[in-house]
């Protein structure tokens, strides 16, 4: 139904980028990223961005970006020194479905789970065959509807204390206010 294509091989046009939009105004950073940063991050090996296209119409369905990372767990303070373990993972740094595509194809509402299950997760599992990886994680916008959607995809949250400790070390500045969610592979 859909295919994921590396951004430079996708044939993505300036018109498609300019017409890309998201459902919630809080997601405007996803629009800005695609327009202003995706290609530069790709060239600099910061992350990989994939354009999702409809196999039948070739329409621009959405996009996602993946990057290697890690999380810390089991934080302990012994005396003045802090200790923690790390787990390797892949971060879904960006994940957005094009509102225009959904508006034109209303029967496709809720396709995020298809994109996740059939495109994103297999890519991450393939990477895990090459390098060790234990989990997939995302910093979600703090919208209940979005976090509930990610829960349906199989993501969980840490305890409040674990999340606070993790955010001290690993939360990127651009994800300020976002909520860490993960799933084990």
């Amino acid at each position: 139904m859909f295919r994921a294509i590396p951004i430079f091989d996708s044939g993505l046009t300036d018109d498609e980028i300019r017409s890309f939009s998201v459902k919630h105004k809080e997601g405007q950073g996803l629009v800005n990223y695609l327009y202003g940063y995706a290609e530069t991050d790709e060239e600099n090996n910061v992350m990989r961005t994939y354009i999702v296209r409809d196999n039948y119409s070739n329409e621009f369905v959405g996009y996602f970006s993946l990057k290697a990372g890690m999380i810390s767990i089991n934080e302990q303070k012994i005396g003045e020194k802090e200790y923690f373990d790390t787990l390797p993972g892949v971060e879904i740094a960006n994940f957005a479905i094009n509102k225009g595509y959904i508006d034109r194809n209303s029967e496709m509402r809720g396709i995020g789970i298809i994109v996740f299950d059939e495109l994103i997760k297999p890519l991450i599992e393939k990477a895990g065959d090459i390098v060790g990886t234990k989990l997939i994680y995302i910093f979600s916008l703090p919208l209940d509807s979005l976090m509930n959607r990610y829960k349906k995809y199989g993501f969980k949250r840490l305890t409040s204390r674990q999340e606070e400790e993790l955010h001290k070390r690993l939360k990127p500045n651009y994800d300020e206010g976002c909520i860490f969610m993960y799933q084990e592979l």
Side-chain angles (χ1 to χ4, degrees), residues 105-169:
N105 302 278
S106 60
E107 73 281 4
M108 300 305 266
R109 290 195 196 297
I111 62 168
I113 187 69
I114 296 169
V115 171
F116 178 75
D117 283 344
E118 294 182 9
L119 300 176
I120 297 173
K121 200 167 182 181
L123 273 173
I124 292 171
E125 289 169 343
K126 186 176 179 181
D129 290 342
I130 298 167
V131 298
T133 202
K134 296 287 289 176
L135 49 90
I136 302 168
Y137 64 96
I138 193 165
F139 290 95
S140 172
L141 289 170
L143 302 171
D144 288 338
S145 62
L146 184 58
M147 291 189 298
N148 287 335
R149 187 173 315 130
Y150 288 140
K151 285 179 184 175
K152 288 179 184 175
Y153 295 6
F155 284 84
K156 301 179 258 185
R157 288 187 65 183
L158 297 170
T159 66
S160 296
R161 184 185 116 5
Q162 289 172 321
E163 189 171 295
E164 183 180 319
E165 291 299 320
L166 180 128
H167 285 188
K168 285 180 186 176
R169 274 187 292 288

Side-chain angles (χ1 to χ4, degrees), residues 10 18 20 37 54 63 65 73-74 77 88 92 95 104 106 114 125 132 134 161 167 182:
S10 69
R18 279 192 295 276
F20 181 80
Y37 303 99
D54 184 301
Y63 83 97
S65 303
I73 58 170
N74 302 325
K77 188 167 186 171
I92 302 172
F95 182 18
R104 289 185 302 279
S106 60
I114 296 169
E125 289 169 343
K134 296 287 289 176
R161 184 185 116 5
H167 285 188
Y182 73 101

Side-chain angles (χ1 to χ4, degrees), residues 73-97:
I73 58 170
N74 302 325
E75 287 80 2
Q76 300 176 31
K77 188 167 186 171
I78 301 175
E80 294 297 313
K81 196 164 184 175
E82 289 188 42
Y83 296 91
F84 57 90
D85 297 321
T86 60
L87 289 176
V90 174
E91 179 182 352
I92 302 172
N94 299 294
F95 182 18
I97 301 298

